[in-house]
Amino acid sequence: MKRILERIVELLLTISGAITTIVILLIVVFLFREGLGLFQSSNVEKGYCLCVNTENTVLQLTPFQIKQIFDEEIDNWEKLGGPDEEIVVFRFSDSFLDSYSEEELGKNLEFLPEKLGEVIRGTPGIIAYLPVQYQPINQRGVRILQDGKIKLSDFLGGSEWIPTATPSPQFGVLPLILGTLWVSLFAILIALPLGLGVAIYLSELAGEQMRKILKPAIELLAGIPSVVYGFFGLVIIVPLIQKGFHLPVGETAFAGSIILAIMALPTIITVAEDAMQTTPQAMREASLALGANHWQTIYKVIIPYSISGISAAVVLGIGRAIGETMAVLMVTGNAAVIPHSLFEPVRTIPATIAAELGEAPSGGPHYQALFMLGCILFLITLVVSISAEIISKNKSQAKGI
């Protein structure tokens, strides 16, 4: 009977592990399937097209060039390899309809494409942003610009994240990637010396009674919801940074780094302290017997022996910082710009997904771009996890030697 029960438990555990693995794989497949669909999307807003005069020799424009044209940063087609002609931007609007009578446009606007074609034919330098249903098809003097697809190079190397821009959304994730890495890097630089110092204290200096009090209290910090950390940062840390550094706003990368450092401390302290505890007592005694004092034993014997565990603590702390959402969303200012200083607002990948996913039309380019951000975040955390695994294996092999 006991053997049968063991078999049943073993089977249940096997099924549970298989289901968990399958679910994880399906989530990854779904994530990448949705994200990669972005690169099949047109670089012009869905349902619209761009039309030019046939005298214009420009065949295709990048999303950034389209933005520059409609922002009036480029005012001549010659700058884009076309004729020396001033660019005339035309947006379809109600004011255009008001300039014609109902008889001229038709009861159901069936003559509207012809009227739009007349405007384009009569303006050599025009670029018209029109709904697809009213585009002048097969009309003399009118040419529809080729729809380019969103490119991976533009996505990863673009410096502007404006997914709701018209006529061409800007999906440049470079500011988001740099913002994520910027905040996480400085969070670790703050958390590492503090975490390592507390770990050394708990492992080598604190009395047994003090250790029993401090270690559970530190581990309890990991259970505090991130929104509470964010609220604390917004109420306490942000005003202090603003006043202390005389900044226009306190929601900066520095505020995010401090909050993430506090949140990463429990992981770093716990893992590093456990690694130091595994140092054999014989090594400590041998060091002291050779004439080393307590501090020399700590930094010449204990830390070198447990360096793999300490490195794993750092990597896990980085993973904790990179994936954080709510706390960072509340204190970093949410400005999707390339950071040049710690005291500027930034936006991270998790914060962007959390803030925009609910507003993105399902299946649209914006929706797919957010899933692609999830893919990037997945790859970053995967690298972090693999690094932690490699470091842990190195630690086990070192102990075996």
Side-chain angles (χ1 to χ4, degrees):
M1 186 64 181
K2 185 177 179 181
R3 184 64 176 169
I4 294 175
L5 289 175
E6 289 178 352
R7 287 285 187 181
I8 292 173
V9 171
E10 182 179 347
L11 180 61
L12 291 174
L13 292 175
T14 302
I15 293 173
S16 176
I19 291 174
T20 302
T21 303
I22 292 171
V23 169
I24 292 173
L25 289 175
L26 289 176
I27 290 174
V28 173
V29 170
F30 172 75
L31 180 68
F32 278 88
R33 183 176 67 84
E34 291 291 329
L36 292 174
L38 173 67
F39 304 112
Q40 301 301 319
S41 302
S42 169
N43 57 17
V44 178
E45 186 180 1
K46 186 177 181 180
Y48 289 84
C49 66
L50 296 175
C51 299
V52 297
N53 191 289
T54 51
E55 295 179 8
N56 194 333
T57 56
V58 175
L59 300 178
Q60 196 171 16
L61 296 171
T62 67
F64 187 63
Q65 288 173 335
I66 296 172
K67 176 183 178 298
Q68 287 182 308
I69 289 174
F70 281 81
D71 288 348
E72 299 182 357
E73 296 174 9
I74 295 179
D75 56 6
N76 196 297
W77 286 108
E78 190 176 21
K79 298 178 181 179
L80 301 171
D84 185 8
E85 191 78 46
E86 183 180 354
I87 296 176
V88 179
V89 174
F90 176 86
R91 288 179 181 267
F92 178 75
S93 63
D94 292 338
S95 61
F96 177 79
L97 297 177
D98 293 340
S99 61
Y100 294 92
S101 65
E102 184 177 347
E103 290 76 14
E104 290 176 308
L105 294 176
K107 187 175 181 180
N108 297 314
L109 301 180
E110 60 268 22
F111 302 132
L112 179 57
E114 182 180 341
K115 299 302 180 183
L116 290 169
E118 291 176 359
V119 173
I120 296 172
R121 283 195 299 273
T123 314
I126 195 171
I127 179 168
Y129 174 50
L130 307 175
V132 171
Q133 58 183 337
Y134 300 131
Q135 62 182 341
I137 301 176
N138 299 326
Q139 291 194 31
R140 182 179 55 83
V142 178
R143 179 165 55 82
I144 299 174
L145 281 179
Q146 298 177 11
D147 276 349
K149 302 298 182 182
I150 297 173
K151 298 179 181 178
L152 180 62
S153 57
D154 293 334
F155 180 74
L156 295 177
S159 60
E160 293 187 345
W161 175 265
I162 315 175
T164 56
T166 56
S168 181
Q170 304 296 302
F171 296 115
V173 300
L174 186 59
L176 307 182
I177 295 175
L178 293 178
T180 302
L181 298 178
W182 191 257
V183 172
S184 302
L185 173 63
F186 282 96
I188 292 303
L189 291 179
I190 295 171
L192 179 57
L194 292 175
L196 185 58
V198 174
I200 291 173
Y201 174 76
L202 288 176
S203 176
E204 306 301 324
L205 303 176
E208 188 64 26
Q209 199 67 27
M210 181 62 70
R211 188 172 180 274
K212 287 181 179 179
I213 296 173
L214 287 181
K215 189 167 183 181
I218 291 171
E219 292 175 347
L220 186 63
L221 292 174
I224 297 176
S226 61
V227 69
V228 176
Y229 281 108
F231 183 72
F232 169 77
L234 194 62
V235 174
I236 304 298
I237 295 178
V238 166
L240 288 176
I241 292 175
Q242 183 178 3
K243 294 177 183 177
F245 294 96
H246 306 289
L247 301 173
V249 292
E251 290 90 348
T252 60
F254 187 51
S257 296
I258 292 176
I259 290 297
L260 288 183
I262 295 173
M263 298 179 71
L265 276 175
T267 301
I268 295 176
I269 293 171
T270 301
V271 176
E273 192 265 342
D274 289 341
M276 293 178 188
Q277 285 288 331
T278 60
T279 304
Q281 187 63 28
M283 293 183 66
R284 305 170 194 260
E285 294 173 353
S287 175
L288 295 172
L290 290 172
N293 58 35
H294 196 181
W295 280 108
Q296 289 173 325
T297 300
I298 289 173
Y299 69 80
K300 289 189 175 181
V301 176
I302 296 173
I303 290 179
Y305 181 85
S306 56
I307 191 65
S308 295
I310 294 171
S311 301
V314 174
V315 172
L316 293 174
I318 293 173
R320 176 79 167 94
I322 288 176
E324 184 50 51
T325 302
M326 286 308 302
V328 178
L329 181 64
M330 297 172 71
V331 302
T332 54
N334 288 317
V337 295
I338 295 178
H340 299 94
S341 166
L342 267 180
F343 302 104
E344 295 177 0
V346 297
R347 174 180 281 194
T348 63
I349 290 176
T352 302
I353 296 173
E356 298 182 6
L357 188 58
E359 301 176 358
S362 180
H366 187 189
Y367 179 85
Q368 293 168 333
L370 293 175
F371 270 88
M372 199 62 208
L373 285 180
C375 296
I376 294 173
L377 191 63
F378 170 78
L379 293 175
I380 293 174
T381 54
L382 180 64
V383 170
V384 171
S385 299
I386 292 174
S387 301
E389 184 68 23
I390 292 174
I391 290 170
S392 298
K393 285 184 178 180
N394 288 340
K395 179 183 176 182
S396 300
Q397 291 173 0
K399 284 185 177 181
I401 294 174

